[in-house]
Amino acid sequence: MVQVAQREAFGGPISSSALVGFEAILDTMNQGLVVFDDQLIILACNERAAGLLDVPRELLMTGAGFDAIIWHAAQRGDYGPGDLEQLVEKYIAIASSREAYCFERQRPDGTVLEITGNPLPGGGFVTTYTDITEHKQTEVALSESERRVAQQMELLDTTLKSMDEGVMVCDNELRILFCNDKVRELFELPQDVATVGSPFSSYLHFCAENGMLGRGDTAELVRDKEVSIAQTQRIRLTRTMPAGKVLEIRRNPMSDGGFVMTFSDITKHRRIQADLAESQRRYQDFAQASGDWVWEMDAELRFRYFSPNVQKVTGLAPEWHYGKTREDLLGDGYDQQIWADHLQTLQDCEPFRDFVYRRVGPGAEPQWLSSSGSPVFAADGRFLGYRGVGSDVTAQKEAEIALREAKENAETAANLARAATSHRAALLEELSATHAELETAHSHLEQELNQARDMQEALLPGPKYVQNVENAFDLRIASHFAPSSLLGGDYWGMIPIDDDRLGLTIADFSGHGVNAAMNTFRLHTLLRQFGPDPDDAALYLQRLNAALGPLLPTGQFATMLCGIINTASDIFEYAPAAAPTPLVYLPGEKKLIAGENAGIPLGVVSEPNYQTLEIPFPPGAVLFLYSDALIESPDRDGVMLGEEGLAKQVTAHLQSESPETLTQSIVDTFNESTDGPPPDDLTVLSFWRQE
């Protein structure tokens, strides 16, 4: 409640009704108000002043002195550091000067007050206190907003000037608003052409006069181009400059009727494409088709699935096998030792490759079959069964037996020749001829296999092509390809999609040798037919599956990863078809990110559903891809490296060594831990983005 003293400062005594009205007016004010007489004694004070000053109420009672208020505020620190008496004297002197004043003071709690003092005609003065905290905060926020806008404008200007692309901006009246130095560099523009504020036609005149718009009258060429621009909202075209430089030109409209044009030098990209076409060599397809089939076992090692091709080979329908174990299918006359070892492998839930056995049973003549399988585990580690592939190797096995028998016969003949003196010369001559024929056949076979291997290796990116890709995308690429025999079923490739995106493929066909190598040629042919512009990795895989499935003999399949390195968005997007997990190491976070190995192999079903996934791939990061031989080949102790072991090896290397040596280091470690050549084809790739 306002207290008002009837003093001469108000012009004499105040009536009761006038006093009540005056007090009501003061209490409704948004400002704090204190009235002092000529002795600096309080005559009036409203409640708002008490709230803003935050002093004990008795210090603002009628009759209280100005000095008590000042002492309290100084002791609380409202006036900052210093001698209290000097601070009090300073503000008492200001109040006693009978001069108007106005200043701002920020209280320790952050509240900002505007304090205004005005002298009264009869002596004394009136002081008002206004809370301007919100106003000051608004001023600060506005100043910060203006600073950020200026900073962003400076950043935008710097970015446009430093871009590798040329940028030109025009308004709706075809006047040039912006043109960076890259445009001048690409077109070799003089300084007086394409200046800010000049008409767009000046740029067109220069292009026409220098043969960049084709042949014809300069004025007509410029006019036709202006009409085309007015009628076309969005364009994307390629133009070859007179000196041979190739530019990609894009035009995109703005909402105000103007447009933005960008100019990209794609000469290097076109050269890479030309090098790729030039590097392709003639190759021949293999006519022979295989008869592989796919099978599955449950956790109790009972067959639950066979693909239909098994009936063509064995004469037994897939359903005949369901519910049966390996032991149930043994039949008579089997090698007990070989089967004992294999059955123990199944009990131990270990992978196996190319287990060859002789089948004697219902449905067909005795056959030699080969089987490979991998154990399947749930996320919690539970064993779920096996998945594998089988093939008929009767022809190969009988050829081996025939060759062995031929060698045995040759040895027998040699022994008989030595024993039978009378026929020694004739038998030796016959044996020599037989041996020469075998040597010749072996030499021809080895020569043909070496030629086939050279053809297969020619499908992979060569050193010159790799170097061009490295330069175009600021990458360091290291690769290792080692088939388990002369021919293999692994394949990898890469092809630029545009200036920012590099397409990658890595595939592993079932089995190895001639049949698997044949499928790599089929895949390479399809990749060349589809071209280098997949918009979505998952859709690209679906197209490959639809085209590759009819070409594969029944039961054959391939695991594959189709990916895109995007240097503009710093992302590696990929779609897996049961391929091993891709790994990306982020040096800034010292963290290894493992992708997913979802999807089913190509060639298993006609309409699979693949998904596109993403992993961050910023500058400095390392992408690591590999075939399953790296993690599924047992070492000397029979232990597989596995995905977790590989992740530890990759992380340990990149935390202490250069990424350039990652691929060779992983391969060296693999070779040191295994005996002889790998049991399966081995492919290891690393892509290191330069910072």
Side-chain angles (χ1 to χ4, degrees):
M1 180 65 184
V2 177
Q3 298 185 11
V4 180
Q6 299 187 18
R7 300 288 295 269
E8 292 301 324
F10 290 99
I14 304 173
S15 67
S16 297
S17 59
L19 179 61
V20 171
F22 181 60
E23 292 174 345
I25 292 173
L26 292 183
D27 267 341
T28 61
M29 293 177 62
N30 191 42
Q31 294 176 304
L33 182 143
V34 182
V35 181
F36 295 91
D37 64 10
D38 56 355
Q39 300 300 316
L40 300 183
I41 301 300
I42 294 177
L43 299 178
C45 174
N46 67 356
E47 287 295 327
R48 182 60 175 161
L52 292 176
L53 293 176
D54 190 22
V55 298
R57 194 66 184 85
E58 59 268 18
L59 297 181
L60 297 175
M61 299 291 289
T62 300
F66 177 75
D67 57 343
I69 300 173
I70 300 302
W71 267 104
H72 181 82
Q75 290 173 336
R76 190 171 57 188
D78 287 7
Y79 304 130
D83 181 81
L84 294 182
E85 291 186 358
Q86 292 180 357
L87 291 172
V88 171
E89 289 177 358
K90 171 184 175 182
Y91 284 97
I92 290 178
I94 293 174
S96 302
S97 65
R98 293 187 55 79
E99 294 181 359
Y101 58 86
C102 181
F103 59 89
E104 296 176 2
R105 187 177 78 215
Q106 182 172 344
R107 293 182 50 202
D109 64 357
T111 303
V112 181
L113 299 179
E114 182 183 70
I115 303 173
T116 302
N118 290 291
L120 295 172
F125 63 93
V126 177
T127 302
T128 59
Y129 302 88
T130 305
D131 185 350
I132 61 171
T133 306
E134 185 175 347
H135 173 70
K136 299 299 288 186
Q137 291 174 344
T138 301
E139 286 183 349
V140 172
L142 181 60
S143 175
E144 177 64 18
S145 176
E146 292 174 347
R147 185 191 66 80
R148 285 199 301 268
V149 170
Q151 186 180 41
Q152 291 172 356
M153 292 299 295
E154 181 181 1
L155 177 62
L156 176 61
D157 183 66
T158 303
T159 301
L160 291 174
K161 289 180 179 178
S162 61
M163 286 177 61
D164 287 336
E165 290 185 332
V167 179
M168 181 182 292
V169 182
C170 293
D171 61 15
N172 56 4
E173 296 181 358
L174 294 184
R175 290 191 304 268
I176 296 176
L177 302 179
F178 176 82
C179 178
N180 67 357
D181 293 338
K182 191 64 178 179
V183 176
R184 300 188 177 280
E185 176 186 335
L186 293 174
F187 288 91
E188 300 180 2
L189 297 177
Q191 291 300 319
D192 59 344
V193 175
T195 58
V196 175
S198 65
F200 183 65
S201 59
S202 65
Y203 156 76
L204 294 177
H205 270 286
F206 177 83
C207 293
E209 291 171 352
N210 289 273
M212 302 178 193
L213 300 183
R215 297 180 178 180
D217 179 71
T218 298
E220 291 183 1
L221 291 173
V222 171
R223 184 167 56 254
D224 292 345
K225 183 60 65 174
E226 288 180 330
V227 171
S228 174
I229 290 175
Q231 295 175 348
T232 306
Q233 288 296 310
R234 191 182 302 273
I235 63 170
R236 178 179 179 178
L237 56 88
T238 301
R239 178 178 296 162
T240 301
M241 308 293 283
K245 184 185 300 180
V246 183
L247 301 182
E248 181 183 73
I249 303 175
R250 300 189 186 192
R251 176 182 178 273
N252 292 293
M254 297 189 299
S255 59
D256 61 356
F259 59 87
V260 177
M261 294 188 71
T262 59
F263 308 87
S264 303
D265 186 349
I266 61 172
T267 309
K268 186 185 298 183
H269 175 64
R270 286 295 178 87
R271 188 179 301 119
I272 291 175
Q273 288 182 325
D275 290 344
L276 176 64
E278 192 177 319
S279 69
Q280 299 305 312
R281 299 176 59 186
R282 303 172 104 190
Y283 61 89
Q284 63 181 25
D285 200 355
F286 295 96
Q288 181 183 359
S290 69
D292 294 355
W293 60 89
V294 177
W295 56 265
E296 287 187 2
M297 280 181 175
D298 60 18
E300 296 179 354
L301 301 180
R302 295 185 180 276
F303 287 106
R304 64 184 179 188
Y305 175 76
F306 270 88
S307 58
N309 203 45
V310 71
Q311 187 169 2
K312 298 179 182 178
V313 177
T314 65
L316 300 172
E319 295 78 10
W320 183 87
H321 299 81
Y322 297 166
K324 294 182 175 64
T325 65
R326 282 286 193 191
E327 294 95 322
D328 297 333
L329 302 179
L330 287 180
D332 300 324
Y334 63 89
D335 188 323
Q336 294 185 1
Q337 182 58 49
I338 292 178
W339 273 100
D341 293 341
H342 178 65
L343 294 176
Q344 186 60 49
T345 298
L346 296 179
Q347 292 293 334
D348 294 340
C349 305
E350 295 180 353
F352 59 92
R353 295 277 181 177
D354 299 324
F355 172 65
V356 178
Y357 60 95
R358 188 169 185 265
R359 174 185 176 273
V360 180
E365 295 295 324
Q367 297 170 297
W368 287 96
L369 304 180
S370 175
S371 183
S372 299
S374 297
V376 180
F377 297 94
D380 58 4
R382 287 182 298 108
F383 174 67
L384 300 179
Y386 272 91
R387 292 185 188 134
V389 61
S391 58
D392 182 1
V393 294
T394 303
Q396 296 95 311
K397 194 66 178 179
E398 289 179 348
E400 292 176 5
I401 294 173
L403 181 60
R404 184 172 65 249
E405 291 176 349
K407 290 182 178 179
E408 292 174 354
N409 291 336
E411 292 175 0
T412 301
N415 292 333
L416 291 174
R418 286 190 294 268
T421 305
S422 61
H423 299 90
R424 184 172 182 273
L427 290 175
L428 285 175
E429 183 178 356
E430 181 180 354
L431 180 61
S432 177
T434 302
H435 179 73
E437 291 175 0
L438 290 174
E439 288 290 338
T440 301
H442 180 269
S443 176
H444 288 168
L445 177 60
E446 185 174 14
Q447 182 179 5
E448 290 177 358
L449 288 175
N450 285 330
Q451 290 176 349
R453 176 170 182 169
D454 291 341
M455 292 168 60
Q456 185 180 24
E457 290 183 351
L459 301 182
L460 307 179
K464 181 179 179 182
Y465 180 69
V466 170
Q467 183 178 5
N468 288 337
V469 172
E470 287 179 332
N471 295 337
F473 293 90
D474 287 334
L475 294 171
R476 291 295 179 269
I477 303 170
S479 65
H480 176 86
F481 170 75
S484 60
S485 58
L486 279 177
L487 297 177
D490 279 9
Y491 172 87
W492 78 277
M494 57 184 178
I495 185 167
I497 300 171
D498 54 32
D499 288 350
D500 301 321
R501 298 186 298 166
L502 175 65
L504 302 178
T505 53
I506 180 171
D508 182 3
F509 283 92
S510 57
H512 36 74
V514 173
N515 291 334
M518 176 186 67
N519 289 329
T520 65
F521 282 91
R522 290 177 174 139
L523 174 62
H524 182 73
T525 300
L526 291 177
L527 292 175
R528 293 290 300 142
Q529 290 176 353
F530 286 174
D533 193 23
D535 294 326
D536 183 275
L539 293 177
Y540 197 64
L541 270 184
Q542 291 176 356
R543 291 178 60 201
L544 277 178
N545 183 76
L548 185 63
L551 302 178
L552 293 176
T554 304
Q556 292 192 0
F557 62 91
T559 63
M560 185 172 181
L561 181 144
C562 178
I564 300 172
I565 292 177
N566 193 324
T567 58
S569 62
D570 294 340
I571 285 176
F572 175 63
E573 56 185 84
Y574 67 99
T581 301
L583 303 175
V584 172
Y585 182 79
L586 305 178
E589 303 176 23
K590 294 184 178 180
K591 180 175 69 173
L592 186 72
I593 299 178
E596 298 182 21
N597 57 354
I600 60 176
L602 301 181
V604 175
V605 296
S606 59
E607 295 183 359
N609 183 22
Y610 297 110
Q611 56 180 325
T612 299
L613 308 170
E614 293 183 353
I615 305 179
F617 190 52
V622 179
L623 169 64
F624 189 79
L625 305 176
Y626 53 96
S627 60
D628 58 7
L630 186 61
I631 59 175
E632 295 181 359
S633 298
D635 60 14
R636 295 186 182 91
D637 298 326
V639 179
M640 294 184 294
L641 178 61
E643 293 183 349
E644 183 176 352
L646 176 61
K648 291 180 180 178
Q649 281 189 10
V650 172
T651 302
H653 178 90
L654 292 177
Q655 288 181 347
S656 61
E657 302 291 339
S658 170
E660 287 187 327
T661 60
L662 172 62
T663 295
Q664 191 60 48
S665 174
I666 295 297
V667 172
D668 290 344
T669 302
F670 175 84
N671 291 334
E672 292 170 2
S673 66
T674 57
D675 290 322
D680 195 7
D681 307 324
L682 176 64
T683 300
V684 180
L685 308 170
S686 64
F687 301 81
W688 175 28
R689 281 197 68 188
Q690 302 300 288
E691 298 187 71

